[in-house]
Structure formats: structure tokens, C-alpha cells
């Protein structure tokens, strides 16, 4: 679990005009909330935040106005739909040792059984509960040799110590679908042969 330090400044200006001015300075408006505290409106460094958010569920140590440090995880990120730049970020205040519920990416390794079958990600991310300072970046699942009809359930995925499922253990995460394109192609070939024999 990586921890990234970011300098943050409290802000008192709100609204679209203020947000535009912040973004013109290559900064991002954000809100820090949680633990029953009043939401804290912040201005964050755009480039550093963008780099930090490349890591799923990154733990961010916010140096607020150079006076205090708070730990947070990203809860919601808004991006410009066309240009992709950060428009706004919601951060959730966390404490060391506290359990949080997050979604971690599911990665796969290995090759499916021969036959051109397709692997479907029913869940791209797995909901888990973990200590705020020990959130795994991802889980890796082996699909080596899986055949059509096979599926991987949440309970089949090995999780690091201290991490528990936050979803039904029988939830399907991955499933192998039978190749349909090849079957259709074979059927067409068979028809062609029958026509030739006739």
C-alpha cells in the first residue's frame, strides 16, 4: 500500500467560477469529509494528485496549510469527459487502524483452456474491507486451464491477511464463456460441404 504526501490548502471560495480559477492554476478543488467532521474544502496540486490517483485506493497524507496532517483515501473523482483532466475529488478521512470498505481491481494471469473461449469479468473490482493503511492495490486470479462454463467466485480469491470480502462470497467474479464465433463458422463450413455433395 503506497502512501503519498500532498500539500493541501483550505479554500473559502466556492462555485463554478472559483473552481475554474483553481483549475487554471493547475490545481484541483476537493472536499475532505468523514468521522462526523464538517466537510473541509481544499485546493490540491493537480499534477501530483493525478500521479497519486494512478494507484487504486491510494492512501494520501494531506499536509493541510502546513499545520496538520490528515490521512485520506479517494472516494469519488470527477474528470473532464473529453480532455480527461481532474475537475474535482472527494476524499474520505481515515485513521490508522480503521477498517474501510473499498473496491480493489481484479487482475488475471494464465491462459484459458484451448478453444477460443472468452473470459468475462463480471466484477472488475472486488469489494473488500481492509485496514485503511493496508489496502491491497489489486488481487490476482489464475485462470490457467479454465474451460467454458467455469466461473471464479468471490470466495475462491485468496486475500491478504486482514482483508475480508465485502460482497456475497458466492458472487461470480469471472466466468468463461464458450466461443460462439467459431461454432458459427464451423456450421457455415458444414453447410458448404453439404451443398457441394448435393
Amino acid at each position: 500500500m503506497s502512501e503519498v504526501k500532498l500539500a493541501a490548502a483550505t479554500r473559502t471560495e466556492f462555485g463554478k467560477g472559483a473552481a475554474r480559477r483553481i483549475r487554471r492554476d493547475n490545481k484541483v478543488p476537493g472536499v475532505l469529509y468523514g468521522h462526523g467532521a464538517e466537510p473541509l474544502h481544499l485546493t490540491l496540486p493537480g499534477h501530483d494528485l493525478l500521479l497519486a490517483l494512478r494507484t487504486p485506493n491510494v492512501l494520501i497524507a494531506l499536509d493541510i496549510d502546513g499545520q496538520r496532517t490528515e490521512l485520506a483515501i479517494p472516494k469519488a473523482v470527477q474528470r473532464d469527459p473529453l480532455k480527461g483532466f481532474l475537475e474535482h475529488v472527494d476524499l474520505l478521512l481515515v485513521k490508522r487502524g480503521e477498517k474501510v470498505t473499498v473496491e480493489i481491481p481484479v487482475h488475471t494471469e494464465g491462459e484459458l483452456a484451448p478453444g477460443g473461449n472468452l473470459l468475462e469479468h463480471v466484477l472488475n473490482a472486488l469489494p473488500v474491507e481492509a485496514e485503511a493503511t493496508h489496502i491491497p492495490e489489486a488481487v490476482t486470479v489464475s485462470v490457467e486451464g479454465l474451460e467454458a462454463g467455469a466461473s471464479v467466485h468471490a470466495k475462491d480469491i485468496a486475500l491478504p491477511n486482514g482483508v475480508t470480502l465485502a460482497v456475497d462470497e458466492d458472487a461470480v467474479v469471472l466466468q468463461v464463456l464458450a466461443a460462439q464465433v467459431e461454432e458459427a463458422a464451423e456450421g457455415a463450413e458444414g453447410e458448404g460441404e453439404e451443398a457441394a455433395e448435393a
Side-chain angles (χ1 to χ4, degrees):
M1 171 92 204
S2 51
E3 185 174 316
V4 177
K5 280 193 168 187
L6 288 182
T10 51
R11 61 187 170 97
T12 51
E13 282 190 308
F14 309 107
K16 288 186 177 176
R20 273 197 293 268
R21 281 194 294 280
I22 290 168
R23 287 193 285 268
R24 265 202 302 270
D25 289 339
N26 293 321
K27 294 184 175 162
V28 179
V31 177
L32 175 68
Y33 63 92
H35 290 204
E38 283 288 311
L40 186 62
H41 296 267
L42 301 170
T43 300
L44 301 152
H47 183 67
D48 293 345
L49 180 61
L50 191 64
L51 292 177
L53 292 175
R54 286 185 179 168
T55 303
N57 301 310
V58 63
L59 186 67
I60 300 173
L62 295 167
D63 179 7
I64 301 171
D65 295 329
Q67 296 173 358
R68 63 185 169 121
T69 301
E70 298 284 7
L71 290 177
I73 56 173
K75 203 62 184 168
V77 179
Q78 292 173 21
R79 297 176 187 268
D80 180 275
L82 296 175
K83 297 179 182 171
F85 62 78
L86 297 174
E87 290 192 325
H88 190 274
V89 64
D90 285 357
L91 300 167
L92 182 64
L93 188 64
V94 295
K95 303 281 184 207
R96 291 189 191 280
E98 176 188 2
K99 292 263 189 176
V100 292
T101 301
V102 294
E103 292 190 345
I104 54 175
V106 177
H107 297 161
T108 58
E109 63 182 9
E111 298 289 326
L112 296 176
N117 297 323
L118 300 174
L119 181 66
E120 181 188 15
H121 285 254
V122 180
L123 293 178
N124 285 317
L126 187 67
V128 298
E129 188 179 69
E131 194 183 317
T133 52
H134 292 92
I135 299 171
E137 289 185 14
V139 286
T140 302
V141 181
S142 172
V143 296
E144 188 65 43
L146 291 185
E147 298 184 345
S151 54
V152 176
H153 297 87
K155 65 184 175 190
D156 303 327
I157 297 175
L159 297 172
N161 284 342
V163 179
T164 55
L165 289 174
V167 67
D168 185 335
E169 62 177 24
D170 290 320
V172 175
V173 180
L174 302 165
Q175 62 185 9
V176 183
L177 304 177
Q180 293 174 336
V181 179
E182 284 191 12
E183 287 172 13
E186 282 171 16
E189 280 173 21
E191 285 167 17
E193 285 168 14
E194 284 168 20
E197 284 171 15

